[in-house]
Amino acid sequence: MELLVVKDKRIDYDGSAIQSHWVYRNFGILGNSLVVFRGKCDVKVEEMIDIEDLRQSKEIKSDDMVHYIIEVFDLVNTLFASTLQKLFIAKLCEVLEEYGVKTSRKGDDIYVNGKKLSISIATVSPVSVKIHIGINVEAKGIPEGVDAIGLKELGITDVEDFMERTGKALVAEFEKVKKDSLKVRWAQ
């Protein structure tokens, strides 16, 4: 899996990056990839993947987030997509604990002291698994009624270092899982 951490510019997330080959179209990276960037989040209704959010007319917004766009071509089904999403969320919880932040995972979201730190969605396209994870940098611009928290409130102020560290951790986790899957033989 190729990693790209975009530090030189902000990229806002509107939901369109969940489309297949977004990374290839925008950054020239073909194949399994993880792009980490920072920017606003404002998912348009036409880009919403989660049907529950759509049915409830939920807003998905934040003024400042770290975004992770993952695309994997190895196996394309929704069960794999959801499993990989939860593995990455669990790995992000582990990295946050290295920063001294006690987290809890509820499904595919990260919470700290009962406050929501992340958003996430996993889906499939005809050719790939697509995952978006967003972590609040600051809990600003969040929809009313969502009790949120951000990295800065947790004392994580070097956001670029966090982006690099978490990106490398997610890629390493994926590569380990892939390697482990290749070193076993069929059961008789």
Side-chain angles (χ1 to χ4, degrees):
M1 175 177 284
E2 190 165 341
L3 171 64
L4 173 64
V5 179
V6 180
K7 297 179 183 177
D8 60 338
K9 65 179 177 177
R10 298 277 178 115
I11 302 170
D12 294 336
Y13 178 79
D14 63 3
S16 62
I18 206 77
Q19 297 171 6
S20 62
H21 293 293
W22 179 83
V23 173
Y24 186 43
R25 285 193 313 271
N26 288 278
F27 300 101
I29 299 171
L30 182 61
N32 295 342
S33 59
L34 167 59
V35 175
V36 185
F37 57 92
R38 185 175 174 181
K40 291 181 181 183
C41 177
D42 188 1
V43 179
K44 306 299 178 207
V45 171
E46 61 272 13
E47 299 292 348
M48 281 195 185
I49 300 296
D50 189 319
I51 296 168
E52 282 299 312
D53 289 345
L54 194 58
R55 286 176 48 94
Q56 296 173 18
S57 300
K58 283 189 177 177
E59 288 185 299
I60 303 172
K61 291 183 174 187
S62 178
D63 286 350
D64 193 5
M65 293 188 110
V66 173
H67 299 278
Y68 304 81
I69 298 295
I70 299 129
E71 186 163 26
V72 175
F73 295 87
D74 297 305
L75 178 63
V76 180
N77 72 50
T78 54
L79 180 60
F80 176 66
S82 182
T83 302
L84 190 57
Q85 171 196 30
K86 286 164 182 59
L87 173 68
F88 284 155
I89 291 293
K91 189 64 184 177
L92 287 168
C93 288
E94 287 179 12
V95 175
L96 283 160
E97 299 219 1
E98 292 171 9
Y99 280 91
V101 177
K102 177 101 173 87
T103 63
S104 62
R105 180 178 68 85
K106 295 178 186 171
D108 51 27
D109 290 318
I110 301 169
Y111 287 80
V112 178
N113 298 325
K115 295 182 179 185
K116 191 170 183 182
L117 178 64
S118 70
I119 61 171
S120 182
I121 191 69
T123 191
V124 295
S125 78
V127 297
S128 63
V129 161
K130 290 295 306 234
I131 300 169
H132 168 256
I133 299 169
I135 295 182
N136 292 316
V137 174
E138 291 186 84
K140 293 183 179 175
I142 308 293
E144 196 172 312
V146 176
D147 193 12
I149 195 164
L151 295 173
K152 289 190 175 179
E153 290 96 333
L154 299 172
I156 301 172
T157 57
D158 189 343
V159 178
E160 287 187 359
D161 177 68
F162 179 82
M163 292 165 62
E164 190 79 36
R165 191 168 168 184
T166 54
K168 287 178 180 176
L170 294 181
V171 168
E173 190 76 3
F174 178 82
E175 294 300 333
K176 176 153 182 13
V177 167
K178 189 165 184 178
K179 180 182 176 188
D180 288 350
S181 75
L182 298 172
K183 70 179 185 177
V184 296
R185 65 179 182 86
W186 284 63
Q188 302 290 335

